[in-house]
Structures are given as C-alpha cells and as structure tokens.
Amino acid sequence: MPPKYDGTVESVTLKCRACGSGNRFPVERALADLAAVKCGRCLVPLLRVSGEPLTNVRAEDLAHPWDREALKALKAIPYAEKVVSTVFAATLDKLARFQMLAGAVRIDEKQAPRLWRSYLEAAGRVDVDPPPLFIVQDPGMNAFAMGAGAPMVGVTSGLLDGMGEREITGVLGHELTHVKLGHVLYRTIAILVINGGLAILQRLLGIAGALLAPLQVALTRWYQMSELSADRGELLTTGSLETFVRTHMLLSGGNSRYLEEMDVAAFIDQANEAEQLRDGDLLLQITEMFNNNRRTHPLPAWRVHHGMAWARTEPFFKLLAGEVSPRLTVDAA
C-alpha cells in the first residue's frame, strides 16, 4: 500500500511543452513508467526523465519541511554560529581539499570519463554547478559532500562496485542536492561532532560539554532530516521511483553477487511493514527515537517511505515536466 501524507494526490494535470494542451493522468499509473507519460494530443513525452537538464529547480522545491524546521532549531542555539565560524576559521576547506588530493582520485573528463558524464548529468538534473568529484578507496557503500566555502563530493569504490550506473547517478544527485541546499558546512561540522570532535570544540571555544550537548543533538537531528531533502534530489535525478528504491535497498544490504536477484517490490513491502510495526507500538516508537539520536543517517526503510510519498505529490511531477511551481513561503532563518 503506498504511503499517504498531506500533499499526496491521486492524479496530476500537466501542460504539454510542445502543443500546450492540458493532460490529466493518474499518479500510480505514471509512477510505473514515467517515460511512458505522453501528451494525449501530440504524443510528446510530458516528463523529462531521460537525463536532460532541468532548469528553474529551486532549493525550496527540494527542501523537506522537517529539514527546514531542524535547521531553524539548530541555528537558534546561541553558540551554534560561533561553532561554525570557529571551525570555518580553522581552515576546514584547506584540510578537506588536502585529504582528498592526497588520498583519493579526482574525476574529470579524462579520469573515469563515464562517471564524470554521470556526475554532470546529475548536476544538470538538480540545476547546480558541480564541485570537484573524487573516488575514495573504501569497501563500504557511501558517498558524501564535504567542505565549507568550497564543497567537494566523494564516492567510495565500494558503492561504485555494488551499484549500477543509474543508481550511481542518483546517489550523485543526492550529494549535489546537499550542495545546492547549502547543507555542506553544517554537515561537515556534524560529522566532526558525531565522530568525537566535541572535545576539540570544548577546547577551542571554552564551552562546557554539558552546554555543547544540545548542539550535538540538534546537529544529529538536522543531519538526518537533511537526508530527506537530498533524497528528493535523488528522485529528481533519475526520474525513477524504482531506481530510488533499489538504491536504498542496496545501501541496506546489497552486494554485486546477488544484485540481479534482489526485488524492489519486496523491499517496498518490507519498508511498509517496518513503518506499520513502529506506528503500532508506542514503546517501539520511544525506543527508536532514542536510538535515532545516535545515528548519522535515518533508517533506509523510513527514507524509502518518505521518498515514495513525495513522488506522489504534484510538485514532483511539475519539476519533472519543467513547470515552475508557485514560490513557497520559507522562513529565512
């Protein structure tokens, strides 16, 4: 059963960019094959799902409301900006750049050009200038955006080994969405704090650990909520709900040996079962909330659930059609 949230719709009306006629179609049928959604009059595809660039994609179109709320709460902590300025002053960009140049492989049109083309495609899909891209030798499946004023994107060798090209392109779009939304500085600080940097900040700032604890909690929560926004960029990049779900299935427990035998529909059922189990048990909800505060990333089933919900909203289809949605009212804080 598909997830139901405020904003999900059963049908969408889009204007054909070729002949201008309006076309109304059911969402569920469209999600089965987005490339097959065509104008009833001239048969031109209504949705841009073949890798062509998307323009007028705004940060506010992709930012999840929980991302905005968590960031607002984070910035409301009196010393949060002091932490940011102190870490930034500590030449975070220079250190990150040195580590990548010295210990990873920088990708461009000559170095792994096929991956570079996928990266440029992803950048065009979320409408952002691509920062430098690196491959990091690591057997784990991971990708990241790091830095402060000068972001960089990294992808591990394990992810490249374990995923297909469309899934990799989606992951690159995910990381580039973090860049587009201005997440990178706070996410880099969050990683430092989560990985034991709290003691260093105590010495740098002269702030007691008890006072920094709320910052750690706020950073961790926002870090997780920011993933929901980046997942939207991932969906937009590939224009495929199936690819999105397969990616998170592989991140959960995928490997190259059994890649062809893994079933997307079965993982969707698993994700829905996990959500129903949590929703039906108050003690489980409370326990999960405390466990969640110690994670960097939300559980994949939860992310699949929310990504599928957004794919059933009008803004998702408007973005794929190249239509500009009404500007949202977003708190500047």
mmCIF file of all heavy atoms in Angstrom, residues 219-249:
data_model
loop_
_atom_site.group_PDB
_atom_site.id
_atom_site.type_symbol
_atom_site.label_atom_id
_atom_site.label_comp_id
_atom_site.label_asym_id
_atom_site.label_seq_id
_atom_site.Cartn_x
_atom_site.Cartn_y
_atom_site.Cartn_z
ATOM 1 N N LEU A 219 22.418 18.957 15.899
ATOM 2 C CA LEU A 219 23.163 18.656 14.680
ATOM 3 C C LEU A 219 22.792 17.279 14.131
ATOM 4 O O LEU A 219 22.591 17.109 12.924
ATOM 5 C CB LEU A 219 24.666 18.706 14.949
ATOM 6 C CG LEU A 219 25.357 20.061 14.827
ATOM 7 C CD1 LEU A 219 26.769 19.986 15.394
ATOM 8 C CD2 LEU A 219 25.390 20.548 13.387
ATOM 9 N N THR A 220 22.699 16.290 15.037
ATOM 10 C CA THR A 220 22.377 14.935 14.602
ATOM 11 C C THR A 220 20.982 14.876 13.997
ATOM 12 O O THR A 220 20.771 14.252 12.948
ATOM 13 C CB THR A 220 22.475 13.954 15.781
ATOM 14 O OG1 THR A 220 23.786 14.023 16.342
ATOM 15 C CG2 THR A 220 22.206 12.532 15.327
ATOM 16 N N ARG A 221 20.025 15.535 14.647
ATOM 17 C CA ARG A 221 18.658 15.512 14.126
ATOM 18 C C ARG A 221 18.598 16.202 12.765
ATOM 19 O O ARG A 221 18.000 15.682 11.817
ATOM 20 C CB ARG A 221 17.690 16.183 15.098
ATOM 21 C CG ARG A 221 16.281 16.295 14.508
ATOM 22 C CD ARG A 221 15.232 16.635 15.512
ATOM 23 N NE ARG A 221 13.942 16.825 14.873
ATOM 24 C CZ ARG A 221 13.175 15.859 14.403
ATOM 25 N NH1 ARG A 221 13.565 14.604 14.498
ATOM 26 N NH2 ARG A 221 12.014 16.129 13.842
ATOM 27 N N TRP A 222 19.222 17.388 12.664
ATOM 28 C CA TRP A 222 19.161 18.079 11.371
ATOM 29 C C TRP A 222 19.866 17.260 10.293
ATOM 30 O O TRP A 222 19.397 17.181 9.157
ATOM 31 C CB TRP A 222 19.796 19.465 11.454
ATOM 32 C CG TRP A 222 19.952 20.024 10.078
ATOM 33 C CD1 TRP A 222 18.970 20.553 9.281
ATOM 34 C CD2 TRP A 222 21.136 20.008 9.280
ATOM 35 N NE1 TRP A 222 19.477 20.876 8.045
ATOM 36 C CE2 TRP A 222 20.792 20.555 8.015
ATOM 37 C CE3 TRP A 222 22.443 19.601 9.502
ATOM 38 C CZ2 TRP A 222 21.741 20.699 7.000
ATOM 39 C CZ3 TRP A 222 23.372 19.740 8.495
ATOM 40 C CH2 TRP A 222 23.011 20.283 7.266
ATOM 41 N N TYR A 223 20.999 16.650 10.643
ATOM 42 C CA TYR A 223 21.741 15.841 9.676
ATOM 43 C C TYR A 223 20.829 14.777 9.066
ATOM 44 O O TYR A 223 20.824 14.547 7.853
ATOM 45 C CB TYR A 223 22.922 15.187 10.389
ATOM 46 C CG TYR A 223 23.956 14.553 9.484
ATOM 47 C CD1 TYR A 223 25.128 15.229 9.165
ATOM 48 C CD2 TYR A 223 23.774 13.268 8.974
ATOM 49 C CE1 TYR A 223 26.097 14.639 8.356
ATOM 50 C CE2 TYR A 223 24.729 12.676 8.163
ATOM 51 C CZ TYR A 223 25.885 13.372 7.856
ATOM 52 O OH TYR A 223 26.826 12.797 7.042
ATOM 53 N N GLN A 224 20.035 14.134 9.902
ATOM 54 C CA GLN A 224 19.126 13.106 9.416
ATOM 55 C C GLN A 224 18.017 13.703 8.549
ATOM 56 O O GLN A 224 17.683 13.165 7.493
ATOM 57 C CB GLN A 224 18.503 12.364 10.596
ATOM 58 C CG GLN A 224 19.499 11.572 11.407
ATOM 59 C CD GLN A 224 18.849 10.902 12.594
ATOM 60 O OE1 GLN A 224 17.677 10.586 12.570
ATOM 61 N NE2 GLN A 224 19.615 10.681 13.641
ATOM 62 N N MET A 225 17.442 14.814 9.005
ATOM 63 C CA MET A 225 16.343 15.418 8.246
ATOM 64 C C MET A 225 16.823 15.949 6.895
ATOM 65 O O MET A 225 16.069 15.962 5.919
ATOM 66 C CB MET A 225 15.701 16.559 9.047
ATOM 67 C CG MET A 225 15.019 16.123 10.336
ATOM 68 S SD MET A 225 13.769 14.831 10.116
ATOM 69 C CE MET A 225 14.641 13.380 10.720
ATOM 70 N N SER A 226 18.077 16.375 6.829
ATOM 71 C CA SER A 226 18.608 16.873 5.561
ATOM 72 C C SER A 226 18.676 15.766 4.518
ATOM 73 O O SER A 226 18.660 16.028 3.314
ATOM 74 C CB SER A 226 19.991 17.506 5.764
ATOM 75 O OG SER A 226 20.990 16.527 6.022
ATOM 76 N N GLU A 227 18.755 14.506 4.979
ATOM 77 C CA GLU A 227 18.755 13.381 4.049
ATOM 78 C C GLU A 227 17.435 13.290 3.280
ATOM 79 O O GLU A 227 17.410 12.869 2.117
ATOM 80 C CB GLU A 227 19.012 12.072 4.805
ATOM 81 C CG GLU A 227 20.424 11.916 5.324
ATOM 82 C CD GLU A 227 21.421 11.845 4.183
ATOM 83 O OE1 GLU A 227 21.401 10.876 3.419
ATOM 84 O OE2 GLU A 227 22.222 12.790 4.049
ATOM 85 N N LEU A 228 16.331 13.660 3.918
ATOM 86 C CA LEU A 228 15.031 13.604 3.244
ATOM 87 C C LEU A 228 14.984 14.595 2.083
ATOM 88 O O LEU A 228 14.370 14.317 1.047
ATOM 89 C CB LEU A 228 13.909 13.897 4.242
ATOM 90 C CG LEU A 228 13.746 12.895 5.386
ATOM 91 C CD1 LEU A 228 12.589 13.308 6.292
ATOM 92 C CD2 LEU A 228 13.547 11.484 4.864
ATOM 93 N N SER A 229 15.619 15.744 2.253
ATOM 94 C CA SER A 229 15.688 16.720 1.157
ATOM 95 C C SER A 229 16.566 16.186 0.026
ATOM 96 O O SER A 229 16.203 16.274 -1.155
ATOM 97 C CB SER A 229 16.250 18.055 1.659
ATOM 98 O OG SER A 229 15.412 18.628 2.637
ATOM 99 N N ALA A 230 17.724 15.636 0.378
ATOM 100 C CA ALA A 230 18.632 15.125 -0.646
ATOM 101 C C ALA A 230 18.029 13.929 -1.376
ATOM 102 O O ALA A 230 18.297 13.723 -2.563
ATOM 103 C CB ALA A 230 19.977 14.746 -0.011
ATOM 104 N N ASP A 231 17.198 13.149 -0.677
ATOM 105 C CA ASP A 231 16.505 12.040 -1.341
ATOM 106 C C ASP A 231 15.584 12.556 -2.446
ATOM 107 O O ASP A 231 15.395 11.898 -3.470
ATOM 108 C CB ASP A 231 15.692 11.238 -0.326
ATOM 109 C CG ASP A 231 16.561 10.354 0.558
ATOM 110 O OD1 ASP A 231 17.733 10.125 0.205
ATOM 111 O OD2 ASP A 231 16.060 9.891 1.603
ATOM 112 N N ARG A 232 14.994 13.728 -2.243
ATOM 113 C CA ARG A 232 14.144 14.316 -3.284
ATOM 114 C C ARG A 232 14.973 14.652 -4.522
ATOM 115 O O ARG A 232 14.540 14.425 -5.656
ATOM 116 C CB ARG A 232 13.456 15.574 -2.741
ATOM 117 C CG ARG A 232 12.433 15.301 -1.653
ATOM 118 C CD ARG A 232 11.779 16.571 -1.144
ATOM 119 N NE ARG A 232 10.649 16.277 -0.264
ATOM 120 C CZ ARG A 232 9.805 17.187 0.199
ATOM 121 N NH1 ARG A 232 9.981 18.471 -0.121
ATOM 122 N NH2 ARG A 232 8.798 16.839 0.978
ATOM 123 N N GLY A 233 16.166 15.193 -4.304
ATOM 124 C CA GLY A 233 17.043 15.461 -5.439
ATOM 125 C C GLY A 233 17.465 14.193 -6.148
ATOM 126 O O GLY A 233 17.615 14.157 -7.375
ATOM 127 N N GLU A 234 17.644 13.114 -5.381
ATOM 128 C CA GLU A 234 17.991 11.813 -5.956
ATOM 129 C C GLU A 234 16.867 11.305 -6.859
ATOM 130 O O GLU A 234 17.107 10.820 -7.969
ATOM 131 C CB GLU A 234 18.252 10.823 -4.821
ATOM 132 C CG GLU A 234 18.639 9.428 -5.248
ATOM 133 C CD GLU A 234 18.859 8.515 -4.070
ATOM 134 O OE1 GLU A 234 19.264 9.009 -2.993
ATOM 135 O OE2 GLU A 234 18.620 7.294 -4.214
ATOM 136 N N LEU A 235 15.625 11.424 -6.384
ATOM 137 C CA LEU A 235 14.468 11.023 -7.181
ATOM 138 C C LEU A 235 14.369 11.839 -8.458
ATOM 139 O O LEU A 235 14.098 11.317 -9.537
ATOM 140 C CB LEU A 235 13.197 11.207 -6.353
ATOM 141 C CG LEU A 235 12.603 9.977 -5.684
ATOM 142 C CD1 LEU A 235 11.522 10.396 -4.702
ATOM 143 C CD2 LEU A 235 12.034 9.019 -6.719
ATOM 144 N N LEU A 236 14.607 13.136 -8.328
ATOM 145 C CA LEU A 236 14.528 14.022 -9.480
ATOM 146 C C LEU A 236 15.625 13.697 -10.492
ATOM 147 O O LEU A 236 15.425 13.799 -11.706
ATOM 148 C CB LEU A 236 14.651 15.472 -9.010
ATOM 149 C CG LEU A 236 14.129 16.566 -9.941
ATOM 150 C CD1 LEU A 236 12.636 16.413 -10.176
ATOM 151 C CD2 LEU A 236 14.437 17.937 -9.363
ATOM 152 N N THR A 237 16.786 13.291 -10.006
ATOM 153 C CA THR A 237 17.924 12.999 -10.880
ATOM 154 C C THR A 237 17.632 11.833 -11.820
ATOM 155 O O THR A 237 17.872 11.917 -13.029
ATOM 156 C CB THR A 237 19.175 12.696 -10.044
ATOM 157 O OG1 THR A 237 19.525 13.861 -9.294
ATOM 158 C CG2 THR A 237 20.347 12.316 -10.937
ATOM 159 N N THR A 238 17.133 10.746 -11.272
ATOM 160 C CA THR A 238 16.893 9.565 -12.102
ATOM 161 C C THR A 238 15.513 9.558 -12.731
ATOM 162 O O THR A 238 15.289 8.899 -13.744
ATOM 163 C CB THR A 238 17.049 8.279 -11.279
ATOM 164 O OG1 THR A 238 16.083 8.280 -10.208
ATOM 165 C CG2 THR A 238 18.448 8.176 -10.700
ATOM 166 N N GLY A 239 14.558 10.291 -12.138
ATOM 167 C CA GLY A 239 13.192 10.258 -12.647
ATOM 168 C C GLY A 239 12.603 8.863 -12.603
ATOM 169 O O GLY A 239 11.809 8.483 -13.457
ATOM 170 N N SER A 240 12.983 8.089 -11.583
ATOM 171 C CA SER A 240 12.540 6.702 -11.499
ATOM 172 C C SER A 240 12.357 6.297 -10.045
ATOM 173 O O SER A 240 13.333 6.258 -9.279
ATOM 174 C CB SER A 240 13.554 5.770 -12.171
ATOM 175 O OG SER A 240 13.265 4.422 -11.886
ATOM 176 N N LEU A 241 11.129 5.998 -9.671
ATOM 177 C CA LEU A 241 10.866 5.526 -8.316
ATOM 178 C C LEU A 241 11.529 4.173 -8.084
ATOM 179 O O LEU A 241 12.054 3.896 -7.006
ATOM 180 C CB LEU A 241 9.351 5.431 -8.083
ATOM 181 C CG LEU A 241 8.892 5.069 -6.670
ATOM 182 C CD1 LEU A 241 9.404 6.075 -5.656
ATOM 183 C CD2 LEU A 241 7.364 4.986 -6.618
ATOM 184 N N GLU A 242 11.546 3.329 -9.097
ATOM 185 C CA GLU A 242 12.165 2.009 -8.977
ATOM 186 C C GLU A 242 13.659 2.132 -8.688
ATOM 187 O O GLU A 242 14.203 1.429 -7.829
ATOM 188 C CB GLU A 242 11.940 1.190 -10.251
ATOM 189 C CG GLU A 242 12.562 -0.191 -10.196
ATOM 190 C CD GLU A 242 12.357 -0.997 -11.467
ATOM 191 O OE1 GLU A 242 11.710 -0.480 -12.403
ATOM 192 O OE2 GLU A 242 12.853 -2.134 -11.542
ATOM 193 N N THR A 243 14.345 3.034 -9.398
ATOM 194 C CA THR A 243 15.778 3.229 -9.173
ATOM 195 C C THR A 243 16.036 3.748 -7.764
ATOM 196 O O THR A 243 16.982 3.317 -7.090
ATOM 197 C CB THR A 243 16.355 4.200 -10.208
ATOM 198 O OG1 THR A 243 16.150 3.674 -11.515
ATOM 199 C CG2 THR A 243 17.845 4.422 -9.994
ATOM 200 N N PHE A 244 15.201 4.667 -7.311
ATOM 201 C CA PHE A 244 15.337 5.227 -5.966
ATOM 202 C C PHE A 244 15.234 4.127 -4.912
ATOM 203 O O PHE A 244 16.075 4.020 -4.007
ATOM 204 C CB PHE A 244 14.265 6.285 -5.739
ATOM 205 C CG PHE A 244 14.185 6.795 -4.324
ATOM 206 C CD1 PHE A 244 15.118 7.703 -3.844
ATOM 207 C CD2 PHE A 244 13.165 6.369 -3.473
ATOM 208 C CE1 PHE A 244 15.046 8.172 -2.526
ATOM 209 C CE2 PHE A 244 13.089 6.829 -2.170
ATOM 210 C CZ PHE A 244 14.025 7.730 -1.698
ATOM 211 N N VAL A 245 14.204 3.294 -5.018
ATOM 212 C CA VAL A 245 14.011 2.225 -4.027
ATOM 213 C C VAL A 245 15.148 1.209 -4.112
ATOM 214 O O VAL A 245 15.673 0.761 -3.088
ATOM 215 C CB VAL A 245 12.650 1.536 -4.233
ATOM 216 C CG1 VAL A 245 12.497 0.364 -3.266
ATOM 217 C CG2 VAL A 245 11.507 2.533 -4.035
ATOM 218 N N ARG A 246 15.567 0.846 -5.334
ATOM 219 C CA ARG A 246 16.653 -0.116 -5.488
ATOM 220 C C ARG A 246 17.937 0.409 -4.832
ATOM 221 O O ARG A 246 18.673 -0.345 -4.186
ATOM 222 C CB ARG A 246 16.912 -0.429 -6.951
ATOM 223 C CG ARG A 246 17.995 -1.499 -7.143
ATOM 224 C CD ARG A 246 18.352 -1.735 -8.590
ATOM 225 N NE ARG A 246 17.214 -2.235 -9.353
ATOM 226 C CZ ARG A 246 16.553 -1.538 -10.266
ATOM 227 N NH1 ARG A 246 16.925 -0.293 -10.542
ATOM 228 N NH2 ARG A 246 15.543 -2.070 -10.895
ATOM 229 N N THR A 247 18.210 1.692 -4.988
ATOM 230 C CA THR A 247 19.412 2.284 -4.391
ATOM 231 C C THR A 247 19.416 2.088 -2.881
ATOM 232 O O THR A 247 20.423 1.673 -2.291
ATOM 233 C CB THR A 247 19.487 3.780 -4.726
ATOM 234 O OG1 THR A 247 19.581 3.941 -6.140
ATOM 235 C CG2 THR A 247 20.695 4.426 -4.067
ATOM 236 N N HIS A 248 18.292 2.369 -2.242
ATOM 237 C CA HIS A 248 18.245 2.259 -0.784
ATOM 238 C C HIS A 248 18.198 0.809 -0.327
ATOM 239 O O HIS A 248 18.666 0.490 0.775
ATOM 240 C CB HIS A 248 17.068 3.078 -0.254
ATOM 241 C CG HIS A 248 17.298 4.552 -0.413
ATOM 242 N ND1 HIS A 248 17.913 5.307 0.554
ATOM 243 C CD2 HIS A 248 17.070 5.385 -1.457
ATOM 244 C CE1 HIS A 248 18.024 6.555 0.123
ATOM 245 N NE2 HIS A 248 17.528 6.618 -1.098
ATOM 246 N N MET A 249 17.679 -0.064 -1.171
ATOM 247 C CA MET A 249 17.741 -1.486 -0.881
ATOM 248 C C MET A 249 19.207 -1.946 -0.888
ATOM 249 O O MET A 249 19.647 -2.694 -0.002
ATOM 250 C CB MET A 249 16.933 -2.265 -1.913
ATOM 251 C CG MET A 249 17.008 -3.773 -1.774
ATOM 252 S SD MET A 249 15.950 -4.641 -2.960
ATOM 253 C CE MET A 249 16.770 -4.204 -4.517
#
